[in-house]
Amino acid sequence: MFSWVKQEQGGRNKEGEMYQTVTEGLQTLYTKKLLPLEEHYLFHDFHSPALEAADFQSKPMVLLVGQYSTGKTTFIRYLLEQDFPGMRIGPEPTTDGFIAVMYGENEGVVPGNALVVDPKKPFRKLNAFGNSFLNRFICSQMPNQVLQSISIIDTPGILSGEKQRISRGYDFAEVLRWFGERVDRIILLFDAHKLDISDEFSEAIRAFKGQDDKIRVVLNKADQVDTQQLMRVYGALMWSLGKVINTPEVVRVYLGSFWAKPLQNTENRRLFEAESQDLFRDIQSLPRNAALRKLNDLIKRARLAKVHAYIISYLKKEMPSLFGREKKKEELIMRLPEIYTILQREHHISPGDFPNVTKMQDMLQHYDFSKFPSLKMKLIESVDKMLATKIAVLMAMIREEESKAPPAMVSGGAFEGSQDGPFGQGYGEGISAGADAEDWIVSREKHRYDEIFYMLMPVNGKITGVNAKKEMMNSRLPNTVLGKIWKLADCDKDGMLDDEEFALAQHLIKIKLEGYELPTDLPDHLVPPSHRKNLTAETLYNHSED
């Protein structure tokens, strides 16, 4: 278990507070240090509802967002390898609400109104979005190994145009923003034939502003186009995303076909397998990084709360005592960008820490500035102290305790499908080719390598490093790579290569040129027969010379 301090200190920090886990430490810091500041300056009315125990204790969550028929529900079905209650799949817009797919001993569906009163679920604050939303929100529970480690949120398919957003009956973008602040990963799904980003989808993506590190993009159904079309589709997708996601970094895009059906175009099979394994590894790492993610989100929340306190207290200070309040209020709202600049200089705050100025101006219209609280430096200092000392100790404890007992990775479902056996990634390819063969795999091409070897004029059956270098340089590989190949091929470390060692060097060059990585140590199945410690292994290789 995580501990706040070392046991010789009695499990207590300097203030006598005792924490058994990092989760408990985060929850206590929020309740005692940050929550008073949020409540005093109306943070929950302007930005985000207060956090509860379930927000700290919940499993990592993955949010799926995309236009209709891009394969969101099918993607969940693919990961779980079984149907879940409430699931509907079809080419038309089928998922008309939010579905939280979570672990439960008994399979069933919990409606939204019952879900938001359950203190064990992290959804209680969603009741602020009203019955129109709660009637379209359910929790699908089922006993599934994947869901023991993560929870998955399925969202309604997004259509183009303004009509659907008005008919929803709730603020779709605000609901997505609420989830975006609390989930560990946001996956945006695109279809190879649906690359257009509608107005509502664009607004949905902008709702995740500030959560850029959580966003991953999946180009689904990529097997339905050939290689040339896929290149064009990928370029068009990146161009479309560049207009919506305003970050200097390129967002990570995973290509593939995420369902258990045969590929329509198999020419990119190897690419799709590598991409799916990369995505699986990213999702599998979520439990390991969950505590760090919650810590990071708490830090971001604390910085925003401090900035909000400065804004509210400044507006209060500028208000007149008796007359002209309404006029002054309008003036201050108009001057809000200028006020941001003043506060940046006065308190040395980064511009990126300030909330959206347009949204803030709209919300301030509904408040009486004269009733805002004045600046209480004690609350600010308490949060500063938390950020400077308490958070640093928690980070150290996370690293220390995770090294002793790392959390289990996501397992089960599709995550078990290709871990081991002949269908594992890279099995029988590159350096592992020939691992289960009876003969030495290099011997299949050795007759070609021998022709080159004897042209290099070997002395006593070996060629010098100088002669070998001339031939190996023809591969145009960097010297650092060729140096590694030389170390792997020179099995007896005598600075020369015999015919088998030279053939091995050529085989390793071929592997590298095909795009595979070289090993740190030479695998047993690649060791030349004459250099194996067990001499009986020579029977596996019929040595012949022309």
Side-chain angles (χ1 to χ4, degrees), residues 208-216 245-247 249 251 300:
F208 301 130
K209 184 177 181 181
Q211 314 295 336
D212 304 315
D213 56 318
K214 300 179 182 179
I215 295 178
R216 304 290 184 271
I245 303 178
N246 297 317
T247 58
E249 301 86 8
V251 66
K300 287 197 290 188

Side-chain angles (χ1 to χ4, degrees), residues 1 25 39 64 114 139 157 167 185 195 197 206 210 226 259 283 302 383 390 451 481 491 525 528:
M1 288 210 306
E39 290 177 337
L64 299 179
C139 176
S167 64
R185 187 67 74 237
L195 294 181
I197 299 180
R206 290 192 180 98
D226 59 32
W259 66 343
I283 295 174
V383 172
K390 306 295 178 64
E451 292 179 8
V481 176
C491 298
H525 70 279

Side-chain angles (χ1 to χ4, degrees), residues 308-320:
H308 179 76
Y310 287 131
I311 295 171
I312 295 298
S313 58
Y314 183 90
L315 296 175
K316 164 70 173 179
K317 185 181 69 173
E318 293 295 309
M319 286 298 288

Side-chain angles (χ1 to χ4, degrees), residues 490-505:
D490 187 11
C491 298
D492 53 13
K493 310 301 179 189
D494 63 350
M496 305 178 77
L497 299 181
D498 60 23
D499 60 327
E500 291 182 346
E501 291 174 324
F502 179 78
L504 173 60

Side-chain angles (χ1 to χ4, degrees), residues 283-335:
I283 295 174
Q284 283 182 302
S285 68
L286 294 180
R288 187 174 67 244
N289 300 324
L292 206 55
R293 194 275 303 169
K294 290 172 182 173
L295 188 67
N296 184 56
D297 285 353
L298 186 67
I299 294 171
K300 287 197 290 188
R301 188 181 180 100
R303 293 168 69 93
L304 179 59
K306 277 180 55 183
V307 170
H308 179 76
Y310 287 131
I311 295 171
I312 295 298
S313 58
Y314 183 90
L315 296 175
K316 164 70 173 179
K317 185 181 69 173
E318 293 295 309
M319 286 298 288
S321 302
L322 295 174
F323 305 108
R325 289 182 179 179
E326 281 302 316
K327 187 176 179 181
K328 187 64 175 179
K329 173 182 172 180
E330 293 177 7
E331 178 193 333
L332 289 172
I333 291 175
M334 290 292 295
R335 288 183 50 229

Side-chain angles (χ1 to χ4, degrees), residues 431-432 435 440 488 504 508 519-528 532:
I431 206 69
S432 65
W440 186 42
L488 292 171
L504 173 60
L508 293 174
T520 304
D521 300 306
L522 191 67
D524 292 339
H525 70 279
L526 287 182
V527 176
R532 294 175 184 174

